[in-house]
Amino acid sequence: MKAVVFRGIGDIALEEVAEPQLKQPTDAIIRITASAICGTDLHMVRGTMPGMEPGTILGHEAVGIVEEVGKQVRNLSRGDRVVVPSTIACGYCSYCRAGYHAQCDNANPKGSQAGSAFFGGPAESGPFDGLQAEFARIPFANVGLVKLPEEVDDERAILLSDIFPTGYFGASIAEVSDGDTVAVFGCGPVGQFAILSAKLLGAGRIFAVDRVPDRLDMARKQGAETIDFSKEDPVDIIRQQTGELASIG
Amino acid sequence: MDATSADGEPTPELAVIAPETKSRDGIWQPGNAPSQVLNWSVQAVCKAGTIGIIGVYPPAARTFPIGTAMLRNLTIKMGNCNHRRYIPRLVSLVRSGHVDPIGILTQRQPMTDVISAYKQFDQRAPGWTKVELRPAA
């Protein structure tokens, strides 16, 4: 199959590689119908997320169709349409059961203290082959795949693999609630979903800080108040706009 | 989010988190201000406010403005997304039409053009905010 392979920092290629096989009875194999490129992938290629093993398939976002399931996967069948959560979680340890799936005790082969297990990441994250490929092996598939209703098409579903949940997580841990004033620094794909999620959580006012014109335009279309940090000091503008300048300055 | 280095020289902070880089013609160039947004956010948030930090910070990243955060009684929360916790409810919100995220997807590219797509995205080229890849195309 074709897949995007990390060969070294600054060196990636579309290569012909072996198709994945079931390794554990809890695995599934999916045929990927949509993948995506994330800013996290750029960190690995640029060198700001070190520790990648050459040969690792990149990518941690996918929508696909279940091809094959292991004997212990009891909730999915061949042909099911699914979205893949980017972090890998067993679903049964105390962390997963408390909703801390990114701190799963069992998913990372490097151990429970090694950090989040995820697709297409550095050695310390598994490593697991990623999802910029035609097929992928999904561990703990009963929780590692989420079935999709037919009303959610691939173009929308691919956004639910990583960047929408991450933006929602960001707004959630920032404790956004009704009426809050929120500032989102960085209006790339995840920042756009942080804006959308802040709105879902009831934000009264949202500032969006970036310097890329079309990303600021997108934020403004979502209703955020935009600040171009290449032209203005975002701290000054936010303080001025929220009446805090006099008390802090 | 970070600022791209104008002269290509890594800052000391960047050299610690990215010991090896292979930038060519401005492609694959790391930003030179990995803690910029941390500094801005602890200054911009209200006193006793809360900051949620998401993004990509490798284990070697050790720069955080602790003093300013302390001075202002801030609450700081951070981490990698617990995707599986949120995805089912977000699928429901999209299915019902309560939210439609499609405007954030700006590119649909065949897998055969993936390297070129990576480079456009790396450059934050106009219109390249989010790139879907289609393996079968």
Side-chain angles (χ1 to χ4, degrees), chain B residues 2-3 8 10 18 23 26 29 48 62 71 73 80 83-84 87 89 91 96 102 105-106 108 116 137:
Chain B
D2 40 35
S23 177
Q29 172 73 52
R62 298 176 63 86
L71 183 77
N73 279 42
N80 292 325
H83 295 89
R84 187 57 174 75
I87 287 174
R89 87 179 65 161
V91 169
S96 70
I102 198 66
L105 181 67
T106 57
R108 293 109 176 129
S116 157

Side-chain angles (χ1 to χ4, degrees), chain B residues 39-52:
Chain B
N39 283 298
W40 279 339
S41 60
V42 299
Q43 293 173 60
V45 70
C46 62
K47 294 181 288 180
T50 302
I51 299 174

Side-chain angles (χ1 to χ4, degrees), chain A residues 87-112:
Chain A
T87 44
I88 301 169
C90 75
Y92 64 83
C93 70
S94 61
Y95 286 91
C96 287
R97 290 204 223 182
Y100 290 99
H101 295 83
Q103 295 299 328
C104 174
D105 270 339
N106 299 312
N108 192 332
K110 295 289 194 295
S112 64

Side-chain angles (χ1 to χ4, degrees), chain A residues 12-50:
Chain A
I12 56 172
L14 184 64
E15 290 185 0
E16 190 67 30
V17 300
E19 287 184 14
Q21 308 292 325
L22 293 176
K23 285 186 184 168
Q24 302 292 333
T26 45
D27 289 348
I29 301 294
I30 62 164
R31 176 170 57 83
I32 294 171
T33 55
S35 186
I37 308 176
C38 182
T40 303
D41 302 321
L42 293 182
H43 277 283
M44 297 167 200
V45 183
R46 289 173 179 172
T48 44
M49 186 57 146

Side-chain angles (χ1 to χ4, degrees), chain B residues 12 19 33 38 40 66 69 74 91 110-111 120:
Chain B
L38 302 175
W40 279 339
I66 185 72
L74 303 185
V91 169
M111 188 75 104
Q120 296 288 331

Side-chain angles (χ1 to χ4, degrees), chain A residues 4 9-10 12-14 32-43 45-50 58 61 83 85-87 98-103 116 132-134 142-143 146 148-149 151-152 155-156 158-170 172-175 185-186 188-190 192-193 196 200 209-212 214-215 218 222 229 234-235 238-239 244 248, chain B residues 1-4 14 17-22 24 27-31 37 39-47 50-59 72 75 77-91 93-95 98-106 108 111-115 117-118 121-136:
Chain A
V4 179
I9 290 168
I12 56 172
L14 184 64
I32 294 171
T33 55
S35 186
I37 308 176
C38 182
T40 303
D41 302 321
L42 293 182
H43 277 283
V45 183
R46 289 173 179 172
T48 44
M49 186 57 146
L58 286 169
E61 295 166 278
V83 59
S86 295
T87 44
Y100 290 99
H101 295 83
Q103 295 299 328
S116 306
Q132 288 164 2
E134 291 182 84
N142 65 317
V143 295
V146 176
L148 285 168
E151 298 93 322
V152 180
E155 293 193 349
R156 287 169 176 82
I158 192 60
L159 305 172
L160 291 158
S161 185
D162 178 26
I163 61 175
F164 192 170
T166 299
Y168 191 90
F169 171 73
S172 179
I173 61 173
E175 300 173 355
F185 290 85
V190 173
Q192 298 293 336
F193 275 107
L196 177 58
L200 282 170
V209 182
D210 205 298
R211 64 168 176 181
V212 179
D214 63 330
R215 295 180 178 191
M218 190 183 279
Q222 291 210 66
F229 76 80
V235 175
I238 290 168
R239 287 179 174 177
E244 301 238 0
I248 292 172
Chain B
M1 183 206 56
D2 40 35
T4 304
L14 177 61
I17 67 165
E20 180 191 357
T21 61
K22 288 273 177 62
R24 261 199 317 270
I27 305 272
W28 317 133
Q29 172 73 52
V37 72
N39 283 298
W40 279 339
S41 60
V42 299
Q43 293 173 60
V45 70
C46 62
K47 294 181 288 180
T50 302
I51 299 174
I53 304 171
I54 50 177
V56 178
Y57 292 89
R72 307 189 70 234
T75 298
K77 298 169 83 174
M78 66 192 83
N80 292 325
C81 178
N82 302 300
H83 295 89
R84 187 57 174 75
R85 173 174 181 160
Y86 302 108
I87 287 174
R89 87 179 65 161
L90 298 178
V91 169
L93 289 177
V94 174
R95 176 191 207 172
H98 187 69
V99 292
D100 187 358
I102 198 66
I104 296 169
L105 181 67
T106 57
R108 293 109 176 129
M111 188 75 104
T112 46
D113 292 343
V114 63
I115 305 303
Y118 257 89
F121 182 58
D122 174 80
Q123 294 296 296
R124 303 185 183 90
W128 287 78
T129 296
K130 185 62 186 179
V131 187
E132 179 193 348
L133 294 172
R134 295 183 170 168

